[in-house]
Amino acid sequence: MKVLKFGGTSVGTPERMQHVARLISREAGTKIVVLSAVSGTTNTLVRISEHLRAGEEQKAAIAIDDLYGQYKEFVRNLLTQAEERKQAEEVLEEHFNFLKNLRKVGFTTLEEKEVLAQGELLSTRLFHLYLQEQQINAVFLPALDFMVIDDHKEPVLDKIQEGLREQLSSFKDKKVFITQGFICRNHLGHVDNLRRGGSDYSASLIGGVLHAEEVQIWTDISGMHNNDPRIVKNTHPIARLSFDEAAELAYFGAKILHPSSILPAQKYNVPVRLLNTMEPEAEGTLIGTETESSGVRAIAAKDGITAIKIKSGRMLMAYGFLRNVFEVFERYRTPIDMITTSEVAVSLTIDDNSHLGQIVSDLSELGQVEVDKNQAIICLVGYQLAEQRGIVTRALESLHHVPLRMISYGGSKHNVSILIDAQFKNEALNSLHDNLFGDQQ
Ligand code: ASP
Ligand code: MG
């Protein structure tokens, strides 16, 4: 059995959705198709909830009507048969009535989560109707019946496995299943989600717990590139990556994959293949246990980083200082990405500034605090990178003209991270590319 996940742009127009139906038909055997919302929809739903939360009823109503109009048009172009069109119009009516009738007063996160879920609910129901029109027999598996997270927002693997197995057992002779990415239920049984971009995570969770043969993530780019193709020329897709390398890259900016999505597949050792819907014959990237070569495999960058330095004489020869620092971040549930220390100071980075003010104020009790916003982490990823001589020297040499704020080496064997001011990011990516991959072009 395979899990095939199609992202927002892959189902972004009626033609593309039809194309997805053809792609899944090429794949023999049992498949579970996981869909994102039609591209742009989740963003619009976020806007609608913001209006509702702010009590801007008129603005919410306009945005809902506008989206409704787009979906009516979508359905007209997707389906040709009167029966399926009628059913699709009823589906739209149901979901848009839900949006229109939402409580205008006391709109909370609870309602917001339900609003955000509409995108995946719509895309999967419309796709199911298209398959029905094409006489492709497909079973609808509602994600809200099996995808669950606990009170720390972590997926509950055994419940997901049990729920899925139970549902699948009623359809032993069926080959095509359709389900939603992104959406789930939380520990209270309320509708929730796996955070933005979470459909990849859904696919990996499903593939993992079912011990699938493979998880395919279909997007609009041919695999993970060895550098950011929007910034650097002559990048190319990497044919094979190890789970560890892919996880580092996904986290550090290779936008193709949701950062958590490698973990479940890795846990159950299910290979993940990244493929391009617009270019289905391209080889893409295969992520698995092995890797094919050594050296730097890829370079990635992550923007929007804030560096915080805490300097204190009290740190000198003292124990417990770092614990106090970390506790501040824990208090505000803010993950730390990079960290470097000296005897009298510690520098670390975060990518979520929502509690920056409080964090800085609490840290000030421990020492002198300096904050640098607009930083970028440049990350070099490769198999046992840190054990190979000369690579880091070469990388640092190619950045000789860029001020380096932090260097993190040795945290993982597969990664070296360098923090620089974001204004130097493009320059750094290009010069690293020329120096490290120049002879491969
Ligand atoms: N529709 C959700 C989002 O836009 C989930 C996803 O596409 O992966 O974030
Ligand atoms: Mg995505």
Side-chain angles (χ1 to χ4, degrees):
M1 186 246 292
K2 289 186 180 171
V3 175
L4 281 62
K5 180 258 166 177
F6 294 88
T9 47
S10 300
V11 292
T13 64
E15 299 70 34
R16 290 202 179 149
M17 207 179 245
Q18 292 163 348
H19 178 57
V20 167
R22 288 192 291 276
L23 287 176
I24 64 169
S25 308
R26 305 193 320 177
E27 207 48 81
T30 309
K31 51 228 151 183
I32 299 185
V33 180
V34 180
L35 298 189
S36 288
V38 168
S39 58
T41 298
T42 312
N43 287 343
T44 307
L45 293 170
V46 168
R47 255 194 298 123
I48 291 171
S49 357
E50 281 166 2
H51 289 320
L52 289 170
R53 200 185 265 275
E56 300 165 345
E57 280 182 41
Q58 191 65 20
K59 285 186 179 164
I62 294 173
I64 294 169
D65 270 346
D66 197 38
L67 191 66
Y68 196 0
Q70 290 171 28
Y71 270 87
K72 283 183 183 156
E73 174 77 14
F74 194 99
V75 160
R76 273 194 295 275
N77 292 316
L78 178 71
L79 302 161
T80 52
Q81 302 299 312
E83 177 52 31
E84 274 76 19
R85 271 198 184 169
K86 188 170 138 275
Q87 289 184 32
E89 274 150 22
E90 283 163 14
V91 166
L92 296 190
E93 209 178 302
E94 188 188 314
H95 289 275
F96 282 93
N97 277 346
F98 165 79
L99 289 174
K100 285 183 196 168
N101 295 329
L102 273 165
R103 263 199 299 170
K104 308 290 185 290
V105 189
F107 185 85
T108 64
T109 347
L110 207 74
E111 281 82 25
E112 185 186 328
K113 299 279 174 62
E114 295 211 28
V115 170
L116 294 196
Q118 301 307 308
E120 272 70 14
L121 292 170
L122 279 166
S123 64
T124 46
R125 292 186 76 180
L126 296 180
F127 184 64
H128 192 215
L129 284 171
Y130 178 67
L131 292 185
Q132 181 180 311
E133 192 181 88
Q134 296 300 304
Q135 276 142 29
I136 301 172
N137 195 343
V139 179
F140 201 68
L141 292 179
L144 296 178
D145 289 353
F146 63 81
M147 193 55 83
V148 273
I149 52 173
D150 62 18
D151 50 349
H152 296 289
K153 295 182 177 299
E154 290 300 324
V156 190
L157 297 178
D158 48 353
K159 282 205 183 154
I160 299 171
Q161 185 175 51
E162 198 185 314
L164 265 170
R165 282 192 178 152
E166 196 180 304
Q167 289 205 37
L168 291 171
S169 65
S170 334
F171 304 103
K172 286 225 162 60
D173 53 332
K174 295 290 191 284
K175 290 269 178 269
V176 187
F177 297 87
I178 299 168
T179 190
Q180 300 88 12
F182 180 58
I183 63 174
C184 62
R185 283 194 191 276
N186 60 26
H187 64 296
L188 300 171
H190 298 147
V191 173
D192 210 314
N193 60 63
L194 301 174
R195 302 197 185 102
R196 294 303 307 272
S199 295
D200 298 338
Y201 198 17
S202 305
S204 171
L205 286 162
I206 296 170
V209 298
L210 292 177
H211 301 277
E213 193 183 322
E214 177 172 292
V215 173
Q216 298 180 353
I217 307 276
W218 290 82
T219 63
D220 52 1
I221 174 165
S222 298
M224 220 182 245
H225 280 236
N226 63 347
N227 203 331
D228 190 334
R230 292 163 305 181
I231 298 172
V232 177
K233 280 196 213 121
N234 300 322
T235 64
H236 63 76
I238 312 163
R240 295 182 72 96
L241 276 174
S242 69
F243 285 120
D244 287 335
E245 290 168 340
E248 305 254 17
L249 280 174
Y251 179 69
F252 287 104
K255 300 246 163 20
I256 180 167
L257 209 57
H258 182 278
S260 313
S261 59
I262 294 298
L263 298 174
Q266 181 167 21
K267 178 173 161 73
Y268 295 94
N269 199 8
V270 174
V272 177
R273 203 181 278 281
L274 307 179
L275 293 159
N276 187 350
T277 316
M278 320 311 162
E279 211 188 310
E281 308 310 329
E283 194 190 347
T285 299
L286 179 64
I287 303 165
T289 34
E290 322 128 76
T291 177
E292 63 178 6
S293 65
S294 56
V296 178
R297 310 294 308 288
I299 304 165
K302 192 173 159 81
D303 289 319
I305 303 290
T306 297
I308 305 174
K309 179 154 80 187
I310 308 110
K311 202 172 152 199
S312 167
R314 278 192 282 154
M315 191 177 163
L316 196 67
M317 318 268 286
Y319 52 83
F321 182 81
L322 283 178
R323 193 194 57 213
N324 294 336
V325 169
F326 289 151
E327 268 172 6
V328 172
F329 290 87
E330 200 180 325
R331 204 170 303 146
Y332 299 105
R333 293 179 157 268
T334 302
I336 297 169
D337 293 332
M338 270 174 85
I339 168 157
T340 55
T341 63
S342 79
E343 264 309 321
V344 289
V346 49
S347 268
L348 35 82
T349 70
I350 56 173
D351 68 357
D352 174 2
N353 281 352
S354 3
H355 300 286
L356 185 61
Q358 292 145 302
I359 291 175
V360 169
S361 136
D362 288 12
L363 288 174
S364 303
E365 289 172 18
L366 302 173
Q368 199 185 321
V369 183
E370 269 172 46
V371 175
D372 290 314
K373 290 190 186 161
N374 297 323
Q375 304 288 303
I377 296 177
I378 306 282
C379 158
L380 309 179
V381 170
Y383 183 67
Q384 304 207 328
L385 198 64
E387 290 181 355
Q388 294 167 44
R389 270 182 223 162
I391 292 183
V392 178
T393 323
R394 210 159 137 193
L396 294 183
E397 257 166 28
S398 47
L399 294 178
H400 66 92
H401 50 303
V402 175
L404 311 181
R405 169 77 172 73
M406 281 165 75
I407 300 174
S408 179
Y409 173 89
S412 133
K413 277 184 189 170
H414 313 301
N415 166 325
V416 177
S417 301
I418 302 162
L419 188 76
I420 59 172
D421 193 307
Q423 61 172 311
F424 300 114
K425 183 185 87 170
N426 292 4
E427 193 183 332
L429 287 178
N430 274 292
S431 123
L432 284 167
H433 198 81
D434 290 345
N435 276 289
L436 298 171
F437 302 137
D439 38 356
Q440 293 173 19
Q441 284 162 23

